Amino acid sequence: MAELRKMDRSSSGKGGRSWPGARGGNEREAKPATIDALLAAIARVRSEAVSLADRAYEAIQHHAFDPYREFCEKRAEHAALVSVLRARIGPKPKDPCWAPAIDLEDSSLLRLSIQACVKFAFALSATPLMPLGARETFIHEVGMLQAARAQLQSAKDDESVAALLDELEMALMILEEVVEKAPAFEEF
């Protein structure tokens, strides 16, 4: 066994690092992204989510759901970046502007998600026949809306939040109805 390890090290020429993408000892080590770079990335992802939401709305009216799934994936990417940023800056950030910037990005995407979901729900409610798997797709949206409701409840006295909660409730009501009438994978 020791002989096999010795052969592997000598054959790779990199001290045992023979897999693709392995770094040799003299290559530059990767450095974590700066907070400013991550903030720029999260703004870019939000911008991409806006255009995907528009594309998804158009596609849903023509019974195409793939752009909608892409929007959901972009929303998950945004949430992951928000999580990384919050962990990176910690409870006491060096720059006092970082936390409000992250909060603004997070609330912007939450607002976009709710408003997009309202549009999707109205388009879906006009669809007489749902494709297979629609229930599984939109049950996640019901969960997202319920989580958003819980997040917004503390600020419901704010007029703009109250209006957003009204939109959310309407989308929830329509989506729950859509999920109820949509065929599940098990039913085919």
Side-chain angles (χ1 to χ4, degrees), residues 86-103:
R86 288 191 196 285
R88 181 78 64 86
I89 68 168
K92 295 182 181 180
K94 291 178 186 174
D95 186 335
C97 296
W98 288 343
I102 295 169
D103 290 344

Side-chain angles (χ1 to χ4, degrees), residues 4-183:
L4 187 58
R5 277 185 253 152
K6 185 177 176 184
M7 277 181 28
D8 182 45
R9 285 189 188 121
S10 65
S11 67
S12 70
K14 297 178 185 175
R17 295 184 176 142
S18 61
W19 65 89
R23 292 180 183 262
N26 62 353
E27 291 185 38
R28 198 173 93 199
E29 292 297 316
K31 294 180 182 171
T34 65
I35 300 297
D36 291 334
L38 288 171
L39 285 169
I42 203 168
R44 178 187 48 77
V45 169
R46 180 185 35 79
S47 176
E48 291 169 1
V50 168
S51 66
L52 282 171
D54 291 339
R55 266 191 32 219
Y57 175 66
E58 292 299 320
I60 280 179
Q61 293 184 35
H62 302 287
H63 312 293
F65 293 85
D66 283 339
Y68 179 75
R69 288 185 191 99
E70 290 172 13
F71 168 73
C72 292
E73 289 168 4
K74 191 58 69 174
R75 192 174 59 209
E77 182 181 344
H78 188 275
L81 275 172
V82 166
S83 179
V84 166
L85 270 165
R86 288 191 196 285
R88 181 78 64 86
I89 68 168
K92 295 182 181 180
K94 291 178 186 174
D95 186 335
C97 296
W98 288 343
I102 295 169
D103 290 344
L104 181 62
E105 284 294 336
D106 196 23
S107 64
S108 291
L109 198 75
L110 179 65
R111 185 175 301 278
L112 170 67
S113 295
I114 292 169
Q115 291 169 341
C117 199
V118 168
K119 289 168 70 174
F120 301 152
F122 276 123
L124 286 171
S125 67
T127 304
L129 298 172
M130 294 285 157
L132 265 149
R135 175 178 289 160
E136 288 75 11
T137 299
F138 294 105
I139 198 108
H140 294 290
E141 287 306 286
V142 169
M144 181 276 300
L145 289 173
Q146 289 170 339
R149 180 200 297 148
Q151 185 178 346
L152 293 171
Q153 282 298 329
S154 62
K156 66 182 176 186
D157 294 335
D158 181 347
E159 197 172 299
S160 65
V161 172
L164 193 58
L165 277 167
D166 288 343
E167 288 181 58
L168 184 148
E169 292 299 333
M170 183 181 348
L172 250 175
M173 182 182 69
I174 295 169
L175 271 182
E176 286 170 345
E177 194 174 295
V178 165
V179 166
E180 201 174 293
K181 75 177 183 179

